[in-house]
Amino acid sequence: MGWLDQVTDQADRLREARRLQQADRSAEASRLLERVAESTGDPYARTDALVQRLGTLINLGRTAEYGPAMDRAFEAVAELPEPYVRGQLHAFAALAAHHQGALDRCVMHLVQSSRALSAVSDPDSDTAWGWHDLAMAYSYLAFHGYALAAIERARQIATTAGLPEEVLAAPGIRLRNAIALDHAGDTDGCLRVLRDVSDDLTRIHSAGHLDRIRPSSRAAYGYTVARAAALGERPVADAGQLLAYGGDSARARDLRKLGDVCLCIADGRTAEALSRLSAVTVAPETLGAAEPARLRSISYARAGDHEAAHRADRLAFRLAGQRSDRLREVYVDGIAARLDQEEMRRAAAQSGGEALTDPLTGLPNRRRLERYVSGLAEHGERAALGVCDLMGFTSVNTLHGHHAGDLVLQRVAGVINRVMRRGDFVARYGGDEFVVVLPGADTAQAAEVGRRISTALAAEDWESLVPGTPISARLGWAEINGAASEGRGGLADALVRAFRTVTA
């Protein structure tokens, strides 16, 4: 049984929305899907509408709407056990994170999408599209090997499901692979891949199947022909015509803009090409941040200004390298976060098990904090209690959604845990509030720990995780005097005094 076979309400409208999306008429599909989500009582229909609508918003480049749309989709998916829809949603979420510049979130969603789609027991045409969208996300992140493997998986499933192979041609994946080779200095390798993609276009055209190609794929084929022509190859098709029928997606518009530049270079109109490059604005996700600089270099070289071409090439190479550097940072940060999480879970387990642990961050929860403070009171120990109140967290939930907010809280927990002294206690009190307890600490020691927490949080790369919403912290402190009468009541009083110093 396929995914849509389980839908008992408005399945025809959902199929129509898919047809519109595959025709790159995402604006129409988005409106139709929103109507289904608002009117249906079938959880399968509502979930499908919300997940597919997120895909339409990504195609249209409406980044401001990603966060709320993802929240609605993840809430709906949580109610269903189906791996396909979970895998599809994570593929879309990876694309959204990539457009937002949050590479660590993107990588996490890529892994979760692959695992979920691999768990589908009876893959159908929808599963094939899920693998297709995952392949696109891999490709945009420059994981070209993974992208090629995922699109091959999509084609195998599509063949079994009876879909024409041209529907999932996905030339954009190989195009981005070719462009990445050129940005790295391997122009010969770039041309080999571009010729391979052009050969596919020639074969499809000769078979009379050009009408089966999706509009977005036509734009990718058009840019392939134009880019090869800019490098001196003879055009195998009318690149301008292919680019003109690229659909309404933001990526197709970017390909048209840069494709026009390539055609100017191929025609020897280098001054016009340079003028267009100065005026054009394209998303760096489409073909990489280095592509405009590389086209500028090709233009200068064609015009005979080799010094300017060399400068532009150096810029292109530097821009291409920044992505690789950031991916390495994401990998290292991911390993560090995992180690932090494991350490916190071990500490929490030693302190009383999972019932005393916050499930999101792995830190001790409010209940464990109360027991810990009561234990200090019973032994007559003094301590400094600090309340860490996050600044900017409300904007994260508003602009990026609660899923992004959860990731921020997890990272904050890891940061605080790393900078604490041996023997200090850290708990998540609730919401965006964290509490630290420093046994035996005086005012100066508490101030130093607070400075370390604030500095560490300010140094985090929040821009890559939640762009445009920096996170900082204010800390307030109170003393626990160690009287035996203190316990839960003493904790409450200390928290009130600490919160007062936060807002003072």
Side-chain angles (χ1 to χ4, degrees):
M1 177 183 289
W3 162 252
L4 281 180
D5 293 331
Q6 302 175 74
V7 174
T8 60
D9 181 46
Q10 305 189 59
D12 288 342
R13 299 179 81 183
L14 293 173
R15 291 189 176 92
E16 173 63 10
R18 280 164 166 72
R19 187 188 67 77
L20 291 170
Q21 285 176 276
Q22 290 164 21
D24 276 13
R25 294 162 61 185
S26 297
E28 295 174 64
S30 184
R31 291 191 291 270
L32 176 58
L33 291 164
E34 181 63 26
R35 289 196 295 270
V36 173
E38 292 298 328
S39 62
T40 186
D42 176 12
Y44 282 86
R46 183 172 185 274
T47 298
D48 188 81
L50 291 174
V51 171
Q52 297 301 328
R53 183 172 181 273
L54 175 60
T56 66
L57 296 177
I58 292 168
N59 284 338
L60 295 168
R62 286 155 55 176
T63 54
E65 300 178 53
Y66 290 174
M70 274 195 289
D71 279 347
R72 293 174 70 194
F74 272 107
E75 287 172 6
V77 165
E79 302 298 321
L80 300 178
E82 301 296 330
Y84 151 71
V85 70
R86 196 177 305 276
Q88 178 74 81
L89 176 54
H90 279 294
F92 286 151
L95 285 166
H98 181 260
H99 290 181
Q100 294 169 327
L103 295 184
D104 46 358
R105 275 195 288 137
C106 182
V107 171
M108 179 196 71
H109 287 304
L110 290 173
V111 173
Q112 291 178 306
S113 175
S114 177
R115 290 179 177 178
L117 291 172
S118 297
V120 176
S121 58
D122 188 18
D124 60 358
S125 59
D126 282 313
T127 314
W129 283 112
W131 280 104
H132 169 275
D133 293 328
L134 174 58
M136 298 299 288
Y138 277 135
S139 177
Y140 284 122
L141 202 62
F143 291 158
H144 300 299
Y146 284 95
L148 292 171
I151 198 62
E152 181 59 29
R153 184 79 173 267
R155 288 172 183 153
Q156 291 172 355
I157 297 172
T159 300
T160 304
L163 292 176
E165 64 173 306
E166 293 84 4
V167 173
L168 283 93
I173 291 174
R174 285 180 293 165
L175 170 62
R176 277 183 287 279
N177 186 14
I179 299 303
L181 291 172
D182 195 36
H183 293 169
D186 186 4
T187 302
D188 288 341
C190 169
L191 281 169
R192 283 195 297 272
V193 179
L194 291 178
R195 288 171 191 146
D196 185 47
V197 179
S198 296
D199 289 344
D200 275 357
L201 175 62
T202 301
R203 178 179 55 79
I204 293 170
H205 187 272
S206 299
H209 294 160
L210 201 60
D211 60 326
R212 295 181 180 178
I213 300 176
R214 299 175 64 203
S216 59
S217 293
R218 292 190 187 195
Y221 279 126
Y223 194 80
T224 297
V225 175
R227 188 60 155 78
L231 292 172
E233 293 284 294
R234 183 178 62 83
V236 301
D238 186 338
Q241 187 178 48
L242 289 167
L243 288 164
Y245 292 97
D248 66 355
S249 74
R251 294 186 291 275
R253 291 195 297 271
D254 286 348
L255 290 177
R256 279 194 290 272
K257 294 175 184 177
L258 294 177
D260 288 341
V261 172
C262 291
L263 293 176
C264 287
I265 298 172
D267 290 342
R269 294 177 281 128
T270 54
E272 183 179 348
L274 291 168
S275 176
R276 286 177 177 270
L277 283 169
S278 297
V280 74
T281 300
V282 297
E285 296 82 13
T286 302
L287 289 171
E291 182 66 350
R294 176 58 181 145
L295 292 180
R296 190 176 296 276
S297 172
I298 297 170
S299 299
Y300 280 127
R302 183 67 64 89
D305 189 346
H306 298 291
E307 183 178 349
H310 179 64
R311 287 197 302 270
D313 252 345
R314 288 179 61 187
L315 174 60
F317 190 77
R318 185 165 68 251
L319 290 171
Q322 286 176 355
R323 171 57 58 86
S324 297
D325 291 342
R326 182 65 194 117
L327 285 173
R328 282 191 287 270
E329 291 171 8
V330 167
Y331 176 78
V332 173
D333 289 347
I335 295 297
R338 188 172 68 184
L339 292 174
D340 288 338
Q341 193 83 348
E342 291 174 356
E343 181 64 30
M344 288 185 290
R345 289 191 182 281
R346 281 197 297 270
Q350 292 171 358
S351 301
E354 291 299 316
L356 303 176
T357 304
D358 172 51
L360 177 65
T361 64
L363 289 174
N365 60 15
R366 182 185 305 195
R367 183 179 172 192
R368 173 57 192 150
L369 173 65
E370 292 170 349
R371 291 190 184 183
Y372 181 77
V373 172
S374 295
L376 291 177
E378 289 174 5
H379 292 88
E381 296 184 31
R382 303 170 65 87
L385 181 143
V387 172
C388 180
D389 189 27
L390 297 185
M391 309 299 296
F393 185 73
T394 300
S395 296
V396 170
N397 283 331
T398 301
L399 296 176
H400 301 287
H402 292 284
H403 184 66
D406 289 348
L407 294 174
V408 167
L409 292 175
Q410 290 171 337
R411 181 172 288 190
V412 168
V415 170
I416 295 176
N417 201 56
R418 283 202 304 271
V419 302
M420 300 303 290
R421 310 172 309 168
R422 182 180 296 275
D424 290 342
F425 184 90
V426 186
R428 182 185 178 203
Y429 190 71
D432 62 346
E433 296 162 359
F434 295 81
V435 173
V436 298
V437 183
L438 318 180
D442 57 24
T443 304
Q445 291 170 320
E448 172 58 21
V449 170
R451 185 194 64 78
R452 290 210 306 265
I453 292 173
S454 298
T455 300
L457 288 175
E460 280 293 298
D461 183 13
W462 300 112
E463 185 64 22
S464 68
L465 181 62
V466 282
T469 48
I471 300 296
S472 59
R474 293 188 304 186
L475 281 90
W477 295 93
E479 181 184 10
I480 299 176
N481 62 29
S485 60
E486 287 203 18
R488 182 175 301 178
L491 171 63
D493 180 62
L495 287 170
V496 169
R497 286 184 280 118
F499 274 118
R500 284 175 182 164
T501 66
V502 170
T503 56

